[in-house]
Amino acid sequence: MADLENFTNEKLLSLGEAGRGKGIYIHIPFCKQACHYCDFHFSTSLKKKSELVSALQKELILRKDELPDEPIQTIYFGGGTPSLLNLEELNAIFETIYAEFTIAEHPEITLEANPDDLSEDKINELANSKINRLSIGVQSFFEEDLKLMNRAHNAEEALTSIKLAISKFDNISVDLIYGVPGMTNERWQENIQILLDLGIPHISSYALTVEPNTALQKFIEKGKVKPVDDAAAAQHFELLRTTLKNAGFEHYEFSNYGKPGYFSKNNTAYWLGKPYLGIGPSAHSYDGNCRKWNIANNTLYIKAIEKSELPLEVEELSITDCYNEYIMTRLRTHFGVDLGEIETKFGEKYLQYLKGQSVVLFEKELLKIENNVIHITEKGTFLSDGIAADLFYID
């Protein structure tokens, strides 16, 4: 595997259309049950599912002119749990998208799925739809981890769902969570090895985070669950990175690893600052100049859309906002921060500020520069968010 610093935007784009075009994100705000760590918007009641699908279709029509006039390269169903949609509901959404938008010849169309939904019949349904990429939320192959997180599936379902998916889909990503209280290095290594043995080409892996007002936070405060150990999480991260590097994966973003040709085009476009349209309750959109986000309430969202009203807020981005976001996203990736691009996009003031703020980080060997591009070093990788904050411009 090539070293992180040897990657450039051109090399990534040579692998496909990852950084081109625009995308559509569709938020499906339903789950069978609430995971203890999750703070995303969702409902465990499916009563309004059909109404919600109709509202999604109408919002797509209402907002079809918001993106630049170029083909849609990626369509991403996130959530929540998009695999709770049946084939009829998925096809209804696709009919609207294909009727209202120009779609690229070979778009990447991803559906997030939970293992307990992926029966053989469900896999066959999805394989007969326009979905061509599955992102399976396994998180762990061990019962004790799944119970702590309150996942809806068990370890056997996790393994079976992937084996079924492999029979119908080539492009599969699997989510794993590390830093779980009580998870040993050996158990974490086994989680990784299971995916390698199955031949999964893309892995997204995240440290367990204690978000405010979640069940996990309350359990830790009451002593029912041990606190998250940052040192253990850092060890898990290093094990993950080393193991996947040796297995031929590219660590192309802090939480994402892919075999060549299997990088997420949807996520890559986001990190490159490409425009996307977010549809559904709580969904965010970006057009290069402003951000918009829908109300995080299913009932109010549906009522507004039925009246042809858009229940969203808008934030106009300043040049400083755009600079800070560029720093944040690029440092997390193997693209790095291109000094020439900083000067072109944001001007000499921001370039000189960045250079000044970087000096100490270079001295601490947390940053390095090659070919006029700044990258985080291996030493600094697990500290990327803090490093980015040190480079932000504060008005």
Side-chain angles (χ1 to χ4, degrees):
M1 176 178 124
D3 289 335
L4 194 65
E5 65 266 25
N6 291 331
F7 281 101
T8 64
N9 290 359
E10 289 76 14
K11 286 185 178 180
L12 174 77
L13 297 181
S14 72
L15 294 174
E17 301 298 314
R20 294 179 56 192
K22 56 188 180 181
I24 295 175
Y25 171 83
I26 300 174
H27 188 76
I28 307 300
F30 300 109
C31 289
K32 289 179 180 177
Q33 63 189 51
C35 296
H36 287 161
Y37 57 86
C38 183
D39 68 343
F40 290 170
H41 169 66
F42 66 91
S43 170
T44 54
S45 170
L46 305 183
K47 292 179 181 179
K48 294 184 180 293
K49 188 155 71 88
S50 61
E51 294 176 71
L52 189 281
V53 170
S54 296
L56 294 174
Q57 291 177 266
K58 187 167 183 179
E59 188 187 359
L60 282 162
I61 295 171
L62 292 172
R63 302 182 66 188
K64 64 181 180 180
D65 296 324
E66 288 188 22
L67 291 178
D69 186 20
E70 54 189 55
I72 298 293
Q73 297 284 346
T74 65
I75 301 169
Y76 193 100
F77 289 83
T81 311
S83 51
L84 289 174
L85 296 184
N86 59 39
L87 186 59
E88 182 181 355
E89 290 163 339
L90 280 172
N91 284 339
I93 295 170
F94 280 127
E95 285 176 12
T96 301
I97 291 174
Y98 275 76
E100 302 295 336
F101 297 84
T102 300
I103 309 300
E105 187 175 356
H106 299 292
E108 176 189 86
I109 304 179
T110 302
L111 181 95
E112 291 183 353
N114 279 354
D116 46 299
D117 293 327
L118 294 179
S119 64
E120 186 171 1
D121 287 344
K122 184 70 172 186
I123 291 288
N124 288 333
E125 272 192 359
L126 295 174
N128 289 321
S129 74
K130 293 185 180 297
I131 304 296
N132 54 34
R133 183 175 183 269
L134 288 182
S135 177
I136 305 176
V138 167
Q139 316 311 352
S140 177
F141 291 98
F142 292 89
E143 295 294 351
E144 50 264 60
D145 300 331
L146 297 173
K147 288 178 181 177
L148 184 149
M149 292 185 274
N150 200 39
R151 297 291 293 170
H153 65 276
N154 58 41
E156 182 179 355
E157 287 173 324
L159 193 59
T160 300
S161 69
I162 295 176
K163 291 179 178 179
L164 288 171
I166 289 170
S167 69
K168 296 292 183 179
F169 287 86
D170 169 64
N171 198 351
I172 296 173
S173 177
V174 173
D175 287 357
L176 291 178
I177 290 180
Y178 59 87
V180 178
M183 177 185 279
T184 63
N185 288 348
E186 291 72 25
R187 196 156 86 213
W188 175 236
Q189 187 77 51
E190 190 170 345
N191 269 324
I192 302 167
Q193 193 59 48
I194 289 170
L195 294 184
L196 294 180
D197 291 343
L198 289 168
I200 297 303
H202 188 281
I203 297 172
S204 295
S205 191
Y206 309 90
L208 182 65
T209 303
V210 184
E211 300 291 352
N213 303 315
T214 58
L216 179 60
Q217 182 195 43
K218 294 182 175 69
F219 292 151
I220 290 175
E221 289 174 349
K222 294 178 180 179
K224 293 182 178 180
V225 174
K226 292 181 180 179
V228 171
D229 185 338
D230 291 339
Q235 289 182 15
H236 293 170
F237 176 78
E238 288 303 325
L239 278 172
L240 175 72
R241 185 166 63 168
T242 301
T243 302
L244 293 185
K245 176 180 179 178
N246 292 337
F249 283 74
E250 315 289 9
H251 186 195
Y252 70 102
E253 192 271 340
F254 182 82
S255 301
N256 287 272
Y257 304 77
K259 289 288 186 72
Y262 287 94
F263 298 178
S264 168
K265 296 179 181 179
N266 174 81
N267 294 348
T268 299
Y270 165 72
W271 297 317
L272 288 174
K274 302 300 178 181
Y276 58 91
L277 183 63
I279 301 295
S282 80
H284 285 234
S285 304
Y286 173 69
D287 66 5
N289 299 307
C290 68
R291 294 207 172 278
K292 302 176 183 179
W293 57 95
N294 283 338
I295 191 170
N297 181 297
N298 292 358
T299 299
L300 295 180
Y301 167 81
I302 291 169
K303 287 182 177 179
I305 296 296
E306 285 176 346
K307 295 186 290 186
S308 296
E309 297 174 356
L310 296 177
L312 52 77
E313 293 185 52
V314 180
E315 177 190 12
E316 297 289 339
L317 299 176
S318 67
I319 188 170
T320 296
D321 293 331
C322 293
Y323 163 84
N324 289 343
E325 185 157 308
Y326 178 99
I327 294 294
M328 179 180 67
T329 55
R330 292 301 183 94
L331 277 182
R332 289 178 61 91
T333 71
H334 63 209
F335 307 117
V337 174
D338 188 315
L339 296 182
E341 199 168 15
I342 290 289
E343 185 174 21
T344 300
K345 286 177 175 287
F346 309 109
E348 183 70 16
K349 180 179 76 170
Y350 290 90
L351 175 63
Q352 294 307 318
Y353 178 82
L354 173 60
K355 287 181 176 180
Q357 292 295 106
S358 300
V359 171
V360 173
L361 298 170
F362 283 124
E363 291 174 351
K364 292 181 178 179
E365 299 183 340
L366 298 176
L367 291 179
K368 59 188 175 185
I369 187 166
E370 184 172 281
N371 298 326
N372 214 36
V373 177
I374 295 175
H375 296 277
I376 286 183
T377 62
E378 288 196 7
K379 179 181 176 181
T381 300
F382 200 66
L383 306 171
S384 60
D385 287 348
I387 293 171
D390 289 339
L391 300 178
F392 286 171
Y393 191 95
I394 308 299
D395 286 323

